Amino acid sequence: MAKTDPGPLIGAHMSIAGGVFNAVLHAETAGCRCVQLFVKSSNQWRAKPLTDDDIKQFKEERKRTKIGPAVAHSSYLINIATPDKALFEKSREALKVELERCNILGVEYLVFHPGAHVGSGVEAGMKRIADGMNWVLDCVAETDCMLLLETTAGAGSHIGSRFEELREIIDKLEQPERVGVCVDTCHIFSAGYDIRTQAAYKKTMKEFNDILGYPLLKALHFNDSKFDLGTHKDRHEHIGKGFIGKDGFGFFMRDAKLKTVPKLLETPKDPEGKNDKMNLALLRKLAKSK
Ligand SMILES: [Zn+2]
Ligand SMILES: [Zn+2]
């Protein structure tokens, strides 16, 4: 008998309030197939230790719901591109702790922002990012969790708004096979990569493939943009309600090469979870339409 089609590999960032396992439960309620979560509080350095119960519940809920991959998003405080030595060391330590937590939880990917060079120059920033990543991957040797560099909108001195920059960082790594890329649709659009028409989508993805290669693309953040192409502003909007528009998301949804890549919403939330359901329903529709 034919198995029922599980539908496209879409999900959303979910809250871990009350325990990391809650992200999986929220994902189940919303009808997600995959999930993104923080593995610690995203806006403080301190990480409360994970209890045995936290770990057990998270793993059990994932097994029961078959939701996956699970993608962790690192803390916003981390900046391994910084010229400030104390902040650099604190940041790489925090990234290491997050990778350890992902390993314990069996989370498949840890996404992080490459960071800001704060006036010290892109080259020096990229060197520090690679140094920090090499150190983290060296410290956490035994894990299947991959580190994913996220594309950025390029606001201020943030590195990673050009595919070439991510390529240069990866080329400096000692263990590049443990690293991938997370493309955020809002960020790349805001950085100047157009995806609004079939031709523009093809051009952008050809560029991605030529410089980084499809196999490196391990996760997608699915966000429409509150600001126009090339504005370098990072403000997420509901799918189809921003400057990208729903056609752009349709090209991603119907791209056969991205079938197994988790596509995760980071769009505005409401207490009842109606927004996620609305955006996910639209994505399912776009996956089928022509
Ligand atoms: Zn991010
Ligand atoms: Zn963003």
Side-chain angles (χ1 to χ4, degrees), residues 29 46 50 72 74 96 135 143 213 218 268-270 273 278:
T29 306
R46 221 178 63 81
L50 288 165
S74 75
K96 181 193 95 174
W135 183 86
T143 183
K218 302 296 184 192
K269 295 274 190 187
D270 64 302
M278 166 189 82

Side-chain angles (χ1 to χ4, degrees), residues 184 187 234 236:
D184 184 309
H187 299 177
D234 178 12
H236 301 178

Side-chain angles (χ1 to χ4, degrees), residues 135-211:
W135 183 86
V136 169
L137 291 169
D138 205 35
C139 289
V140 193
E142 299 291 320
T143 183
D144 293 328
C145 180
M146 288 179 84
L147 274 183
L148 304 188
L149 283 156
E150 183 172 349
T151 57
T152 67
S157 66
H158 281 275
I159 294 172
S161 63
R162 304 296 311 166
F163 300 150
E164 288 86 350
E165 293 175 354
L166 299 184
R167 167 46 66 198
E168 253 195 84
I169 295 165
I170 292 168
D171 284 345
K172 295 183 204 299
L173 298 176
E174 287 153 10
Q175 303 180 69
E177 68 284 357
R178 296 176 62 191
V179 171
V181 170
C182 171
V183 164
D184 184 309
T185 53
C186 167
H187 299 177
I188 61 166
F189 179 73
S190 170
Y193 292 104
D194 199 359
I195 46 177
R196 292 171 295 187
T197 63
Q198 181 79 66
Y201 176 80
K202 269 196 174 155
K203 183 172 177 281
T204 289
M205 292 314 281
K206 185 185 182 301
E207 224 176 302
F208 182 90
N209 193 43
D210 289 348
I211 297 164

Side-chain angles (χ1 to χ4, degrees), residues 75-88:
S75 157
Y76 298 118
L77 302 173
I78 291 175
N79 182 9
I80 55 170
T82 179
D84 176 334
K85 194 163 180 283
L87 179 61
F88 172 78

